[in-house]
Amino acid sequence: MLGHQFVTAAAIAASVLFILSLGGLSNQEKAKRAVWYGIAGMGLAVFFTMLGPGIGGYWLMVPLMLIGAAIGAVVAKKVEMTEMPQLVAALHSFVGLAAVFVGWNAEMERARVVAMRAAGESMDSLSAFAATLSHKTPAELTFLQVEVVLGVFIGAVTFTGSVIAFGKLAGKMDGKPKQFPGGHLLNAGAAALSLVLAIAYLNGAGFWTLLLIAILAFFIGWHLIMGIGGADMPVVVSMLNSYSGWAAAAIGFTLSNDLLIVTGALVGSSGAILSYIMCKAMNRKFVNVILGGFGGTSGPAAEIEGEQVSIDAGGVSSALNDADSVIIVPGYGMAVAQAQNAVSELVRKLRGAGKEVRFGIHPVAGRLPGHMNVLLAEAKVPYDIVLEMDEINDDFASTDVVIVIGSNDIVNPAAQEDPNSPIAGMPVLRVWEAKQVFVCKRGQGTGYSGIENPLFFKDNTRMFYGDARQSIDSLLPQLD
């Protein structure tokens, strides 16, 4: 086993690698290198922690690690890019549940140390963790209790919230918001009762209080995310990411693990910042989103006039051949159809014909922040033509053709034109200002969020129905 100095040095090195990884992920060209920084940091952290002072039970630890690594490898190979949002949500749930178990175990060990100290018994038979507790003062043990109760509460909320997010993102549950009668009052009541139990626990009430706190927090996480609609899922994912980070940090304090504290704080703070960015992109207050989704409408949505007019591949390809400028707006429908490679080939042919082609990416396109950027990078679309909403929104008015692939809310003019729309005030890509708009869509339904889109009924819009990949493929032979 290695000494404490080696473990500390490894923790510092791993922390630096994690920071480099987070910094690199902000740039598409550096993202692959940044991922390797993260992998190296995590490998370093696991290896030196496992060999650190006071660690034992390798006969059980090593097989479990190998089993976990094998499961992770199998899942990673099977999961498609379209399934990444629900995978992330599932992984968040593991962190939350781990925090709950660590908190419970820490309390049992703390109670054992306190009882042995009171009885004047020898501490020689204690585990490595309990042995460290035996050297703490009563004030330090009380502070440990604060860490435990926070870890259990945050971890439990994260666990059930992430499970529900997984179910909604995977389509295994209805994406519409649902709550019990009383809604937010139930959540507030459960949180208040958790606080009362936490105070009782800190005053010596016993282990049963932690069990009840976990049960109440499980309910809060479940009920909270059940009450959030599918359209808010990008914010929910980043919010749960933040929760899992703070849960990990709480575990780090409990275990006196500096690396876990740093890593948890990095994840928690970055997730919180990302949640704020997502809310800003939707013109929503973070608290309003997590307490009930969009909401806030004052009346019925405006009636939509006109009809959806369809067009075939010949009509779309003719417009593209005549166009000088084209903007492509991808959404989750492109991910579902796995159409990114077909889109990349379309871009190659159009640019080869001398046309200006760019992408417009909304901050909440898809079901995970950066979802569309990752798909396009995977298909080798040049980074320099992939632009964010604020960079490209003013250019739609001078654009000949816009192709919308599987998007709904992020191109919905009702956000600006209808104050009673569920997405009123949300910044959107103003695609309707272009000369012609073609929408690749499977059918006439309202999509995942259930919100009708007046764009589909406008005079300059044509609906290009069908599977997105097959639709784009059908255009390629007809382009000049």
Side-chain angles (χ1 to χ4, degrees), residues 98-423:
V100 173
F101 287 151
V102 169
W104 285 347
N105 182 72
E107 167 54 23
M108 288 187 286
E109 294 289 85
R110 185 202 67 82
R112 182 184 177 193
V113 167
V114 170
M116 293 177 68
R117 184 181 289 176
E121 297 180 15
S122 172
M123 303 283 184
D124 295 338
S125 61
L126 292 176
S127 65
F129 174 69
T132 62
L133 298 183
S134 66
H135 299 295
K136 292 181 180 292
T137 65
E140 290 174 328
L141 289 176
T142 299
F143 189 74
L144 173 70
Q145 287 182 283
V146 174
E147 298 164 2
V148 165
V149 75
L150 286 175
V152 168
F153 182 82
I154 298 173
V157 170
T158 304
F159 173 68
T160 50
S162 298
V163 170
I164 299 303
F166 168 82
K168 290 192 174 188
L169 290 167
K172 299 180 183 297
M173 299 177 60
D174 190 349
K176 295 181 180 179
K178 295 180 180 179
Q179 285 185 329
F180 286 135
H184 306 320
L185 290 177
L186 285 175
N187 294 335
L193 183 54
S194 297
L195 179 60
V196 171
L197 289 169
I199 294 173
Y201 164 66
L202 293 174
N203 284 277
F207 183 76
W208 63 272
T209 55
L210 282 183
L211 291 175
L212 290 180
I213 288 172
I215 292 171
L216 289 169
F218 283 146
F219 168 78
I220 293 173
W222 173 81
H223 196 230
L224 193 66
I225 306 304
M226 282 295 293
I228 299 177
D232 288 330
M233 277 300 123
V235 176
V236 171
V237 172
S238 60
M239 176 189 72
L240 291 170
N241 180 54
S242 180
Y243 287 0
S244 69
W246 298 125
I251 295 173
F253 279 110
T254 301
L255 299 177
S256 298
N257 187 311
D258 295 338
L259 180 57
L260 203 51
I261 295 170
V262 172
T263 305
L266 285 173
V267 174
S269 57
S270 61
I273 293 170
L274 185 57
S275 299
Y276 171 77
I277 293 172
M278 294 296 103
C279 287
K280 186 177 180 182
M282 297 190 303
N283 194 29
R284 297 289 178 234
K285 293 182 179 179
F286 178 69
V287 173
N288 290 345
V289 171
I290 65 172
L291 292 183
F294 283 115
T297 58
S298 57
E303 293 290 331
I304 299 177
E305 298 180 354
E307 62 178 350
Q308 297 185 21
V309 181
S310 63
I311 193 171
D312 59 15
V316 177
S317 59
S318 177
L320 288 173
N321 286 329
D322 293 338
D324 292 321
S325 58
V326 178
I327 295 178
I328 301 173
V329 178
Y332 188 68
M334 185 186 78
V336 171
Q338 299 183 25
Q340 60 268 28
N341 290 312
V343 171
S344 179
E345 180 62 18
L346 174 67
V347 171
R348 189 190 66 79
K349 292 201 70 171
L350 291 174
R351 296 184 80 191
K355 304 179 188 299
E356 181 187 31
V357 184
R358 292 174 294 169
F359 286 82
I361 308 295
H362 194 282
V364 296
R367 297 188 188 172
L368 189 71
H371 199 180
M372 297 299 103
N373 302 75
V374 172
L375 286 175
L376 295 176
E378 179 187 48
K380 294 182 171 52
V381 171
Y383 299 132
D384 61 333
I385 66 171
V386 180
L387 305 178
E388 300 298 323
M389 177 179 64
D390 293 338
E391 299 175 299
I392 204 168
N393 234 357
D394 292 336
D395 296 346
F396 284 109
S398 58
T399 299
D400 295 323
V401 171
V402 170
I403 301 179
V404 178
I405 307 176
S407 290
N408 188 7
D409 299 338
I410 63 171
V411 293
N412 194 331
Q416 296 186 359
E417 300 170 356
D418 182 8
N420 291 329
S421 170
I423 58 172

